Amino acid sequence: MNAHPVARETAGIDSWIVVDLDRILRLPERLRRLWPPDLLPHRADREPGAASAGVGKASAAPESDEAGGGGAKRELDVLTAWLRGFASELDRASTRISVVVSSGVETVHLALCLGSGVGHAILALQGEGLEDFAQHQLLRRIEAGLIGHVVEDLAELVEHDCVLTLSWASGTGATGLEFLRRKGGAWFRPVIERAGDSVTVDDDVAAGEAAVRMLLSAVLTRTLTAGAAN
């Protein structure tokens, strides 16, 4: 199976598998409920008559086609088997991390499902310049050491000033929320102050060029170390 490069210059996207949302919805319920809820599509999200896509932009024969449909039918069977295996492995994840980079007109939403010896990434792209992927999700297996670089690449898909929101939950019950803001191509960290029952956001502090990678590294170290210790 071949992955599909996005039309816009998108470093790192060519290593993902593109799957249409209908295919995810056709997963057995026991697998579908393992999907990150905020990325699980609903039937209403699909446009009537939208073509079913296999891998990448190339359209393929629907699964209901009669046997003997040739290579396209066989590729669909392979993709379906791969997707079911991918979904079943989500059950082994002990840490869930969600990264959203949004400018208001472009959104990159990455869900990471991580555990001992397993790392899965589910990516949704929406908005200006990303219309080709509005009805698809991109999937890949991923090593923890690559995540920071991958998120840096994905943030480059958002061309306007944006906010990166990172939330996480580990099997120990610990949760967290982090923010970065990009203005004029530079990353800043909002200073959040708590005083009693009130919370205020002060002026941003420059976070440096490696801010995204450093934030991911800190969160991964915290969550994966805690998971391994339990």
Side-chain angles (χ1 to χ4, degrees), residues 9-53:
E9 291 184 8
T10 53
I13 288 293
D14 56 350
S15 58
W16 296 74
I17 300 295
V18 183
V19 180
D20 77 18
L21 300 188
D22 274 348
R23 189 171 296 278
I24 296 170
L25 285 172
R26 288 197 297 269
L27 287 170
E29 171 61 24
R30 64 183 177 82
L31 299 178
R32 195 167 65 249
R33 66 172 178 257
L34 300 175
W35 216 259
D38 46 359
L39 285 184
L40 186 63
H42 303 284
R43 286 290 180 186
D45 296 334
R46 290 292 288 163
E47 296 177 1
S52 175

Side-chain angles (χ1 to χ4, degrees), residues 176-187:
L177 184 65
E178 301 281 353
F179 298 95
L180 288 174
R181 182 178 300 175
R182 193 179 69 199
K183 295 186 295 185
W187 287 103

Side-chain angles (χ1 to χ4, degrees), residues 177-181 183 187-195 198-207:
L177 184 65
E178 301 281 353
F179 298 95
L180 288 174
R181 182 178 300 175
K183 295 186 295 185
W187 287 103
F188 297 85
R189 179 184 290 278
V191 177
I192 301 175
E193 296 183 353
R194 295 176 176 84
S198 64
V199 177
T200 59
V201 180
D202 206 343
D203 293 338
D204 295 343
V205 175

Side-chain angles (χ1 to χ4, degrees), residues 19-181:
V19 180
D20 77 18
L21 300 188
D22 274 348
R23 189 171 296 278
I24 296 170
L25 285 172
R26 288 197 297 269
L27 287 170
E29 171 61 24
R30 64 183 177 82
L31 299 178
R32 195 167 65 249
R33 66 172 178 257
L34 300 175
W35 216 259
D38 46 359
L39 285 184
L40 186 63
H42 303 284
R43 286 290 180 186
D45 296 334
R46 290 292 288 163
E47 296 177 1
S52 175
V55 179
K57 288 186 70 175
S59 60
E63 286 185 286
S64 59
D65 281 359
E66 296 181 0
K73 178 70 168 99
R74 286 196 295 272
E75 183 172 338
L76 282 172
D77 292 340
V78 170
L79 179 59
T80 298
W82 186 91
L83 180 58
R84 291 190 180 196
F86 182 95
S88 67
E89 291 175 10
L90 298 179
D91 198 30
R92 297 166 51 195
S94 58
T95 296
R96 300 279 179 130
I97 297 175
S98 176
V99 182
V100 179
V101 185
S102 180
S103 67
V105 294
E106 314 146 287
T107 299
V108 171
H109 190 166
L110 175 69
L112 298 165
C113 304
L114 310 173
S116 178
V118 62
H120 288 61
I122 304 172
L123 174 63
L125 304 172
Q126 297 177 333
E128 185 179 281
L130 301 169
E131 292 86 356
D132 285 350
F133 293 90
Q135 301 299 331
H136 297 77
Q137 289 183 4
L138 294 84
L139 316 177
R140 68 180 287 181
R141 295 185 173 94
I142 191 168
E143 297 178 8
L146 296 176
I147 291 174
H149 295 284
V150 167
V151 175
E152 281 186 326
D153 287 344
L154 293 177
E156 292 301 315
L157 300 183
V158 178
E159 296 183 341
H160 299 79
D161 290 350
C162 60
V163 173
L164 182 152
T165 304
L166 186 155
S167 58
W168 53 269
S170 68
T172 62
T175 61
L177 184 65
E178 301 281 353
F179 298 95
L180 288 174
R181 182 178 300 175

